[in-house]
Amino acid sequence: MVNRILQSGQRVFVGANEWNGNSVSFVGASSPSQEGFVTFNGANTLSGMTVDGAAGAPGYGGVGIGPRVALTVGGITLDNGNLSVSERPYGALDVTGTSQIANNSTLTMTAYGGVGTFALNGVMSIDGSSTVNSDYVPVSGNGTFQLTGNNALLRLGHVDAGDTVKLDGGTLSLTDGMHFLGTITDSVPTASAIAPTASVHVYNAADAVREVFNTTTGMLDLFNAQGGEVANLHFAGGGPLFAEKTTDQPTNYVAITTHQSADSLPVTFTQ
């Protein structure tokens, strides 16, 4: 196995199978304009990918995936590092194994025109100072995102049913509560569906006026004044969940938490 090291400002183009079995490490550039960048123009399977930054000086790295190119990575490790992954039309990223996004790190995935995929088939841990952005790249696979701190942030759009989000803290931000088909839970589901310090923000549901929560199936539905369903989410674990709308944000949303407030939406519990 070869560890391919990309220095600041270095640009590399990789053809099909050229780096199979290798790992990729980015020497943390001090700004995105100076990051090392690798473009995959053919399918490759990597053992891992890392970006490390120095204390107080975050590092940057970038990956491009060509049109209809599949890239598999055995795990992504960011330590005070920022990694951007951009996919050309029908590009695909598959992350397997164990990934660690920690110490003020950010992983951001984008797709040209929203046409691309990100498959998680391992475990990706996000600590309380870090963020993963996949708002506009559909997520598939049978993996688990695990948020482990109060300021951890995971932003998702369309998500398939095989994926799980463990909310042991932090925020799961959803652009569309009707197209998140995965399961939301925490590491101790017998005690609660999500941690007391965690929340789910649903951005397409600002017109919700009531909630229905099935305590047996874990299905939580939000409805607007016309009776239309604006969110349908599956939770696994014990205890009730409550929804509350924001009214003073630049973009308002519904926040779902384990605690009820005077401003919570009217809720009906079913079995």
Side-chain angles (χ1 to χ4, degrees), residues 58-166:
Y60 294 85
V63 173
I65 301 176
R68 301 186 185 278
V69 169
L71 175 65
T72 300
V73 181
I76 296 174
T77 301
L78 305 183
D79 187 351
N80 199 24
N82 301 279
L83 178 66
S84 60
V85 179
S86 56
E87 301 177 1
R88 300 302 290 176
Y90 302 101
L93 173 65
D94 185 359
V95 178
T96 63
T98 300
S99 298
Q100 299 281 345
I101 316 300
N103 297 324
N104 299 294
S105 294
T106 300
L107 171 63
T108 299
M109 286 157 285
T110 58
Y112 184 83
V115 181
T117 60
F118 165 43
L120 181 64
N121 285 297
V123 177
M124 180 173 287
S125 296
I126 308 165
D127 81 352
S129 62
S130 300
T131 298
V132 170
N133 301 311
S134 188
D135 309 51
Y136 302 107
V137 179
V139 178
S140 61
N142 292 283
T144 299
F145 296 96
Q146 184 168 16
L147 284 69
T148 58
N150 291 350
N151 292 318
L153 175 60
L154 173 61
R155 298 168 56 182
L156 298 175
H158 288 211
V159 176
D160 285 352
D163 295 290
T164 299
V165 176
K166 287 187 177 181

Side-chain angles (χ1 to χ4, degrees), residues 182-259:
T183 299
I184 306 168
T185 185
D186 68 6
S187 293
V188 190
T190 55
S192 61
I194 61 176
T197 57
S199 61
V200 179
H201 294 177
V202 187
Y203 276 85
N204 73 312
D207 60 342
V209 297
R210 64 185 180 93
E211 169 196 351
V212 176
F213 183 57
N214 188 305
T215 57
T216 300
T217 65
M219 296 305 302
L220 187 150
D221 296 283
L222 299 176
F223 297 91
N224 60 24
Q226 292 74 41
E229 190 176 35
V230 293
N232 176 256
L233 302 173
H234 178 228
F235 292 84
L241 293 169
F242 303 95
E244 180 179 342
K245 291 197 294 185
T246 63
T247 58
D248 57 352
Q249 303 296 317
T251 304
N252 287 309
Y253 56 85
V254 171
I256 299 169
T257 66
T258 60
H259 37 274

